[in-house]
């Protein structure tokens, strides 16, 4: 039987003192590599980029964040629908207003930006959709767990239920095993039932919008004080 070291107990005690946090994740972009039919504002064709955004919140702050996000939702003309980047489109003034209001909320960010043009033709990721999605999400998770060892993940539903089940198994098998140093849980949610996932949708979509149109608000600059990790694949941005 393996003995527990004194350092293990100390680390376990340290982990118990950390506040519980939840990461709400959504993505913008798609798998395709037909760049001749370029995506514009997330509509049609193959996206040039694939963006994943994690909005990370202390568990005790989730109710207050949902209340404040609901106010932003109601005050910005979304009526009964979701907060969605695709509904903002190229209205940069409206997008800037919403992002500025998000700045007042209490959350942190980990963002992945994959430039699909840069690894297309040189990587097996361009051949298999599930491998593409799994690999990029795993890079995001590695970044999150390096910063937040005690973390629950809530992700917007993606694809068929069979894909979700297989993807969840992959994530659980490839991230750090549950032990004295790491605590985590994992679940999917329909974005229409989660205002915080909708924040992730707006931010991921806004990153895409800026990359396609430099007249759009620069999300990385706006949220620099909130970004705890930026995964750039292949690397372009300086490390955070």
């Amino acid at each position: 039987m393996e003995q527990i070291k004194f350092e293990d107990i100390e680390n376990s005690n340290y982990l118990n003192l950390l506040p519980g946090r939840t990461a709400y994740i959504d993505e913008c972009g798609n798998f395709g590599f037909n760049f001749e039919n370029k995506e514009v504002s997330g509509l049609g064709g193959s996206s040039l980029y694939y963006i994943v955004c994690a909005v990370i919140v202390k568990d005790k702050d989730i109710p207050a964040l949902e209340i404040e996000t609901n106010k932003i939702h109601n005050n910005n003309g979304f009526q009964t629908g979701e907060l969605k980047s695709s509904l903002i489109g190229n209205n940069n003034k409206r997008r800037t207003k919403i992002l500025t209001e998000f700045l007042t909320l209490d959350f942190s960010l980990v963002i992945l930006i994959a430039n699909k043009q840069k690894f297309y033709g040189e990587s097996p990721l361009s051949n298999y959709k599930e491998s593409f999605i799994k690999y990029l999400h795993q890079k995001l998770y590695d970044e999150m767990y390096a910063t937040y060892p005690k973390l629950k993940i809530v992700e917007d539903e993606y694809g068929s239920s069979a894909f979700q089940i297989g993807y969840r198994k992959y994530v659980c098998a490839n991230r750090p095993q549950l032990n004295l140093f790491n605590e985590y849980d994992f679940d999917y949610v329909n974005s229409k039932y989660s205002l915080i996932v909708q924040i992730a949708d707006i931010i991921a979509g806004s990153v895409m919008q800026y990359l396609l149109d430099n007249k759009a608000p620069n999300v990385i600059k706006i949220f620099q004080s909130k970004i705890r990790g930026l995964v750039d694949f292949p690397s372009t941005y300086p490390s955070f």
Side-chain angles (χ1 to χ4, degrees):
M1 181 177 178
E2 185 177 353
Q3 291 185 337
I4 298 177
K5 299 178 182 179
F6 177 73
E7 291 82 0
D8 294 339
I9 298 174
E10 282 192 324
N11 284 320
S12 179
N13 291 336
Y14 166 72
L15 184 63
N16 288 333
L17 295 174
L18 292 176
R21 289 182 172 89
T22 300
Y24 295 83
I25 299 176
D26 204 356
E27 76 279 332
C28 180
N30 54 32
F31 168 72
F33 290 86
N34 179 16
F35 299 129
E36 293 181 2
N37 185 12
K38 293 182 180 179
E39 175 177 306
V40 178
S41 300
L43 302 175
S46 296
S47 63
L48 301 179
Y49 301 89
Y50 185 77
I51 316 295
V52 191
C53 175
V55 175
I56 299 169
V57 191
K58 291 180 181 178
D59 290 344
K60 68 179 181 62
D61 296 332
I62 290 174
L65 179 59
E66 289 176 334
I67 291 171
E68 294 304 312
T69 305
N70 191 50
K71 292 178 183 177
I72 294 173
H73 171 278
N74 294 338
N75 292 335
N76 283 279
F78 288 94
Q79 285 82 40
T80 58
E82 296 179 45
L83 281 163
K84 291 189 74 68
S85 177
S86 60
L87 297 178
I88 303 172
N90 59 3
N91 187 336
N92 292 335
K93 183 177 180 180
R94 185 186 184 200
R95 189 179 294 275
T96 300
K97 178 178 181 295
I98 294 169
L99 292 173
T100 302
E101 292 177 10
F102 282 168
L103 263 181
T104 66
L105 306 181
D106 191 6
F107 60 81
S108 300
L109 295 169
V110 177
I111 298 173
L112 178 142
I113 303 174
N115 186 337
K116 290 161 57 181
Q117 302 168 96
K118 287 192 174 181
F119 64 85
Y120 174 62
E122 299 180 2
S123 169
L125 296 179
S126 61
N127 297 324
Y128 304 101
K129 180 177 181 178
E130 291 191 12
S131 296
F132 170 84
I133 301 296
K134 291 173 182 177
Y135 176 79
L136 293 182
H137 280 58
Q138 186 64 42
K139 291 183 72 69
L140 180 79
Y141 295 143
D142 289 344
E143 183 73 19
M144 287 194 302
Y145 285 119
T147 306
Y148 301 108
K150 187 176 181 179
L151 190 66
K152 176 182 177 180
I153 293 173
V154 176
E155 183 156 13
D156 189 18
E157 293 174 340
Y158 184 90
S160 67
S161 59
F163 173 81
Q164 292 169 13
I165 293 171
Y167 176 44
R168 180 172 181 168
K169 288 180 179 178
Y170 175 91
V171 171
C172 292
N174 285 275
R175 65 188 178 186
Q177 295 298 307
L178 182 61
N179 53 38
L180 288 172
F181 311 104
N182 300 86
E183 292 186 7
Y184 49 76
D185 196 4
F186 186 98
D187 205 359
Y188 291 100
V189 66
N190 188 316
S191 62
K192 69 181 180 180
Y193 301 123
S194 173
L195 284 163
I196 307 178
V197 168
Q198 293 173 35
I199 295 176
D201 178 291
I202 294 280
I203 294 176
S206 296
V207 172
M208 177 76 80
Q209 187 70 17
Y210 175 72
L211 292 172
L212 298 174
D213 175 13
N214 59 16
K215 294 181 181 178
N218 185 339
V219 184
I220 302 302
K221 184 175 182 180
I222 291 173
F223 287 98
Q224 186 168 357
S225 63
K226 290 184 177 293
I227 295 175
R228 298 294 177 264
L230 179 60
V231 182
D232 196 30
F233 182 75
S235 180
T236 302
Y237 284 98
S239 300
F240 271 62

